Amino acid sequence: MKTEKSEALYNVAKDYFPGGVNSPVRAFRSVGGTPLFLKRGKGSRMWDEDDNEYIDFCCSWGPLILGHCHSRVEDAIIETVKNGTSFGAPTKAENDLASLIISNNPFIEKIRFVSSGTEAVMSAIRLARGYTNRQKIVKFEGCFHGHSDSLLVKAGSGLATFGISSSAGVPEALAQETIVLPLDDEHAVKECFEKYHGQIACVIIEPVPANNGLLLQRKEYLQYLREICTQEGTLLLFDEVISGFRLGFTGASGYYGIKPDLLTFGKIIGGGMPVGAYGASKEIMAKISPDGNVYQAGTLSGNPVAMNAGKAQLNECLKPDFYTGLEKKTEKLVNAVKNHIEQHHYPANIISVHSLFWIYFSKDTIRKASDIDPAGMDHFRQFFHSLLGKGVYLGPSGYEVGFVSEAHTDEDIRITTEAFCSSLDEIFGK
Ligand code: PLP
């Protein structure tokens, strides 16, 4: 595999950007080697600067549920840009996307668009604090909610990759307001509410934690969180930046049938353009400025290009059988690889939910960040590079999940299945 052009570009980038990148996991630190510089994508495929072709299972970390350059999304972006890229004033495009989301989602009555998932979560946390008049928040070890100060404590793959649990630069006083609990542990939650009775503004969780491996939670556990939050007057915040519009149109909330008080979205709702959103009941959202006293604003919030790209993408997601088709494709890949692993007794596992999958190299069922054996990451490093050589691209960290898109064909799934199985054979020396 030729990587000369990527290497040259990376050397230049290192002079411009910390670590040569504008987001840490892109630097390939956990898998080693040179980050690939991508130049084009179409459907399920993408090409790097050295003209290597890959079947893409990173899909820009989730937003590209239709694959690269879907014609409807592309047309929507081009048509919008012709009339201006930003006004800093209301546009019909915002109403259109809000209507599409709210009329198809029973969990929110009002929404506010922002420019990233980080901004959505940061704003939703402020709203929870403003609404409840309480300061403390509870989050879970291994869940990532973006890089705002309050939430950068034990926060998933990016930090796990670098072997640190929290970021420098977060004021101690603020970190103390964030209580971090292990996932999958009702007792820890109960104890925490006993200790901080009347002080907890919200409990934030990725209902399908997908940033530190895929840590699928028991439904009863999520229901327990719902119940204890209701009892304690604490808001339950489901961060659905990844799971929203991926586990069906109503996300993980719909999948589990649990209604959170606050929801955050991002990724898919912008059709590949920068976006985020948070939503709740009319009563809770009435606290947001200019109606209420919780301030939040943004120059590019509700950007028309992102709104129309998101609308085009979500209209495709609403088509009959869209999600069942995606799920079937994912299951085909996962079941075939799982059979291969079992047949050969390899110390590996592959799991999925809807169109998210995760391959890992440690014990059978993993529901907590601390259950992941870091030694398995050495195997992932080999696996990742072996797959690259076969033209299959995963996110460059063993803590990241894979994303299947509508654009992946049966042939892509067949090629990928073969590539996964033969890469496992190489690693485990069949
Ligand atoms: N919340 C979750 C669950 C995420 O997965 C992410 C990003 O991966 C974020 C929040 C932050 O979103 P963004 O990267 O758009 O700021």
Side-chain angles (χ1 to χ4, degrees), residues 340-398:
H340 190 78
I341 288 172
E342 281 167 10
Q343 233 173 44
H344 296 280
H345 307 290
Y346 291 151
N349 215 326
I350 184 165
I351 55 171
S352 65
V353 58
H354 270 262
S355 52
L356 297 174
F357 67 85
W358 183 43
I359 183 153
Y360 58 98
F361 301 88
S362 53
K363 62 188 243 193
D364 284 351
T365 305
I366 296 194
R367 294 195 207 281
K368 286 188 174 104
S370 57
D371 286 344
I372 301 175
D373 179 2
M377 295 304 148
D378 285 338
H379 288 317
F380 182 81
R381 188 174 305 144
Q382 288 170 268
F383 186 66
F384 173 82
H385 284 289
S386 171
L387 283 184
L388 273 190
K390 298 179 177 79
V392 175
Y393 186 91
L394 297 181
S397 162

Side-chain angles (χ1 to χ4, degrees), residues 97-111 238 240 243-255 258-260 262-265 269 278-281 314 318 323:
L97 185 59
S99 150
L100 194 60
I101 293 174
I102 292 172
S103 62
N104 289 289
N105 189 321
F107 303 107
I108 53 170
E109 291 175 339
K110 278 201 173 180
I111 194 163
F238 276 2
E240 295 231 40
S243 55
F245 308 91
R246 182 157 287 275
L247 273 78
F249 204 85
T250 53
S253 308
Y255 179 76
I258 296 175
K259 186 178 186 307
L262 270 166
L263 273 154
T264 47
F265 303 119
I269 62 165
Y278 59 100
S281 64
L314 291 188
L318 278 172
Y323 288 104

